[in-house]
Amino acid sequence: MEDGTAEDYEQLMPWHYAHTRSGLVDNLLDILQCLRGPTLGYQIDRYDHSLQSATRVLRNGESTDLAVAALLHDIGDSFAPENHSAAAAAVLQPYVDERTHWVVAHHGLFQGYHYFHHFGGNRDAREQYRGSPHYEACLDFCENYDQNCFDPNYPNLPIEEFRPLLDEVFSRPSTVPATAPLPR
């Protein structure tokens, strides 16, 4: 890379951008598929949990950013189980608003309010973030779009309903500093 010239990169970058963007949503949907299967003691698997979360967000008239985030908030479970919130947030960060990114990045800790105390943990660990302008949004997400989204009788929307939203969000230029913006 060090030996490349501006002309080399001018030629290479459009190929790179076209390749990464053309498969990005499909790749994310493939990762989401990894959540199918074991229920891990819940009544539904994590794939259906993700669909239910995103369906509830859409039906409540929330933002496109939040709907996409709800769909993908647990994708890190398949490749970063000890750090799933940060992994999902990192995927979303270049494309969603700051509040949505923050909510996804912190949802695992905030979700702990509902169960940490059952195994000796601190259910109030989320309190360290009380001063954040996104604290209430994360409480709301966990209460209305995460901890309650394991209902086997809830009528989830099919994954196809979310494709246009995914395409919209992941076609946006990157907002992450020091990341070369992708041409539209």
Side-chain angles (χ1 to χ4, degrees), residues 49 53 56-57 62 66 70 73-74 84-85 102-116 126 134-150:
H49 164 71
S53 178
R56 288 177 188 263
V57 166
E62 301 278 6
L66 194 62
H73 77 281
D74 281 340
H84 87 282
S85 297
W102 198 95
V103 165
V104 173
H106 294 85
H107 84 275
L109 179 70
F110 276 58
Q111 188 72 335
Y113 176 81
H114 300 282
Y115 68 92
F116 283 175
R126 68 189 187 183
H134 308 302
Y135 179 88
E136 293 294 328
C138 199
L139 286 180
D140 184 65
F141 178 82
C142 289
E143 183 65 30
N144 296 306
Y145 305 124
D146 200 1
Q147 67 85 27
N148 62 326
C149 293
F150 295 92

Side-chain angles (χ1 to χ4, degrees), residues 18-39:
H19 172 73
T20 56
R21 282 300 174 105
S22 69
L24 181 56
V25 170
D26 289 332
N27 291 339
L28 292 169
L29 289 171
D30 286 346
I31 293 170
L32 187 63
Q33 289 291 328
C34 293
L35 300 180
R36 283 189 179 275
T39 61

Side-chain angles (χ1 to χ4, degrees), residues 114-132:
H114 300 282
Y115 68 92
F116 283 175
H117 59 289
H118 291 302
F119 59 90
N122 179 6
R123 75 183 307 191
D124 294 317
R126 68 189 187 183
E127 291 304 310
Q128 66 188 299
Y129 295 106
R130 182 163 291 279
S132 168

Side-chain angles (χ1 to χ4, degrees), residues 40-110:
L40 307 175
Y42 294 101
Q43 294 183 7
I44 61 174
D45 64 20
R46 292 164 301 147
Y47 177 84
D48 284 327
H49 164 71
S50 299
L51 277 178
Q52 191 168 131
S53 178
T55 297
R56 288 177 188 263
V57 166
L58 272 185
R59 288 185 177 148
N60 282 340
E62 301 278 6
S63 71
T64 297
D65 282 10
L66 194 62
V68 167
L71 185 66
L72 301 178
H73 77 281
D74 281 340
I75 61 169
D77 282 347
S78 65
F79 61 89
E82 301 299 329
N83 202 19
H84 87 282
S85 297
V91 169
L92 290 163
Q93 184 178 15
Y95 311 103
V96 298
D97 62 78
E98 178 185 334
R99 183 192 75 145
T100 300
H101 169 258
W102 198 95
V103 165
V104 173
H106 294 85
H107 84 275
L109 179 70
F110 276 58

